[in-house]
Amino acid sequence: MIKEQIHNYILPILLTIALYLSFAGLGVLSIFILDLIFGFNKIQFDIAKFVYLLVAIIIINKLTHFKSKDIIINKVKLNQKRFFTIFILSILLRICIDPVFRFSDIVHGFSHSTIQDYPNPEVDFYLLFVFLNVVVLTPIIEELIFRQYALGQLLRVKDNIVYAIIISSLMFSTIHLKIDQFIVSFIFSILSSLVYIKYGIIWSVCFHFIHNTIWLILDTFRNSYWEFIEYLNFGILYWLIWITCAMFLFFITNKIWFDSDPSYP
């Protein structure tokens, strides 16, 4: 019985890893070969990546799409209240994970040189493809693989939501190699999995969209962002904001958890 359960858990994990590595590896290899042949510049490189991601989404969706009786069944209700909940959840999450990225500054003190080292980039045509690739297409692929396939399969193996969320979140975190990214990705994946279970794949993709959009905005205007962080200087006001947002994040997460009973095989 135990061996059967281990087998049932390991198989989805291995298939998920194989699926992700296959498409990630093929993407890097194909774009690398095209770059050697045609000599891509920065924009052409991102256009090639955009085309590849579109093709990957179509193929992955076919591979991970189950019949309605085999997947989490939730009617997609495109209402303003649900979107507002996801939007606020994304903002609160970004604020709450900020200390993870600022750990060195919190421990050793804030350095103004950080701002000077990272000037605001120009908003140009290149940024459009960064938006399409990072904010739109990549979240779709990751949600299809780690939520629709991995989490969906793990929920089918055993009626244990907690185990399924933790295992799929650990898999999602392993593709982000830096320790701060690993922690942040794990927290994000837990919330995205919860959104998927309660609201469905469309809303987990939407949550991922908003999360990455916030990241892109902060990265694009990082100079202004760092100036604001320097103003707070990790003092009382910074931590009051953090504690308040953490409390609201817990409240909204709890609300989503008890919103309705999940429907899965």
Side-chain angles (χ1 to χ4, degrees):
M1 185 65 179
I2 296 178
K3 289 184 178 181
E4 182 181 353
Q5 289 182 348
I6 294 175
H7 176 268
N8 289 335
Y9 277 114
I10 290 179
L11 185 59
I13 293 173
L14 293 178
L15 290 176
T16 300
I17 295 173
L19 184 64
Y20 180 83
L21 291 180
S22 297
F23 280 92
L26 287 175
V28 172
L29 180 61
S30 59
I31 294 177
F32 176 75
I33 293 174
L34 290 173
D35 185 35
L36 288 178
I37 297 174
F38 299 106
F40 287 160
N41 59 32
K42 186 168 64 172
I43 293 179
Q44 290 172 330
F45 179 84
D46 277 277
I47 292 175
K49 184 178 179 181
F50 172 77
V51 173
Y52 171 78
L53 289 175
L54 278 179
V55 175
I57 286 173
I58 296 173
I59 297 175
I60 291 173
N61 185 54
K62 291 292 183 181
L63 293 175
T64 61
H65 182 72
F66 307 108
K67 296 180 181 180
S68 58
K69 66 179 182 179
D70 293 330
I71 63 173
I72 295 175
I73 305 170
N74 284 297
K75 293 182 179 179
V76 179
K77 299 179 180 179
L78 299 178
N79 56 63
Q80 294 180 350
K81 182 179 179 181
R82 183 163 293 180
F83 177 80
F84 180 76
T85 301
I86 297 299
F87 180 75
I88 296 299
L89 184 69
S90 302
I91 294 177
L92 292 174
L93 173 62
R94 182 58 188 82
I95 294 173
C96 288
I97 63 178
D98 187 78
V100 179
F101 294 115
R102 315 292 160 231
F103 181 78
S104 178
D105 293 309
I106 293 173
V107 174
H108 303 291
F110 190 85
S111 174
H112 185 75
S113 61
T114 307
I115 300 175
Q116 298 172 341
D117 293 339
Y118 298 98
N120 287 335
E122 295 182 0
V123 180
D124 53 14
F125 185 70
Y126 165 73
L127 191 62
L128 171 63
F129 281 97
V130 174
F131 174 81
L132 291 174
N133 293 338
V134 176
V135 174
V136 179
L137 300 184
T138 299
I140 294 176
I141 291 178
E142 291 181 348
E143 291 303 311
L144 287 175
I145 293 177
F146 292 100
R147 246 61 72 186
Q148 180 163 287
Y149 179 74
L151 182 58
Q153 287 282 52
L154 289 169
L155 287 173
R156 288 170 24 139
V157 169
K158 187 177 181 181
D159 184 8
N160 193 312
I161 297 178
V162 176
Y163 285 166
I165 290 178
I166 291 176
I167 293 173
S168 62
S169 296
L170 285 173
M171 284 191 289
F172 180 78
S173 302
T174 54
I175 67 175
H176 304 84
L177 300 180
K178 292 183 179 180
I179 185 64
D180 56 348
Q181 293 179 347
F182 181 91
I183 296 171
V184 168
S185 298
F186 182 75
I187 297 172
F188 166 80
S189 183
I190 289 177
L191 294 179
S192 184
S193 298
L194 181 60
V195 171
Y196 170 69
I197 291 173
K198 294 296 181 175
Y199 297 155
I201 185 66
I202 298 297
W203 288 106
S204 68
V205 170
C206 181
F207 177 60
H208 208 144
F209 280 171
I210 299 172
H211 177 80
N212 283 18
T213 300
I214 295 173
W215 169 84
L216 183 62
I217 292 173
L218 293 178
D219 186 67
T220 303
F221 303 100
R222 61 174 74 96
N223 194 18
S224 301
Y225 170 65
W226 272 105
E227 287 176 351
F228 177 70
I229 293 295
E230 184 186 32
Y231 170 76
L232 294 176
N233 198 29
F234 307 110
I236 295 176
L237 182 58
Y238 177 89
W239 292 110
L240 282 177
I241 293 173
W242 187 88
I243 293 172
T244 302
C245 291
M247 291 174 62
F248 276 105
L249 180 65
F250 175 80
F251 172 78
I252 294 178
T253 303
N254 192 63
K255 182 179 180 299
I256 294 174
W257 177 258
F258 292 103
D259 188 21
S260 60
D261 292 329
S263 175
Y264 57 87

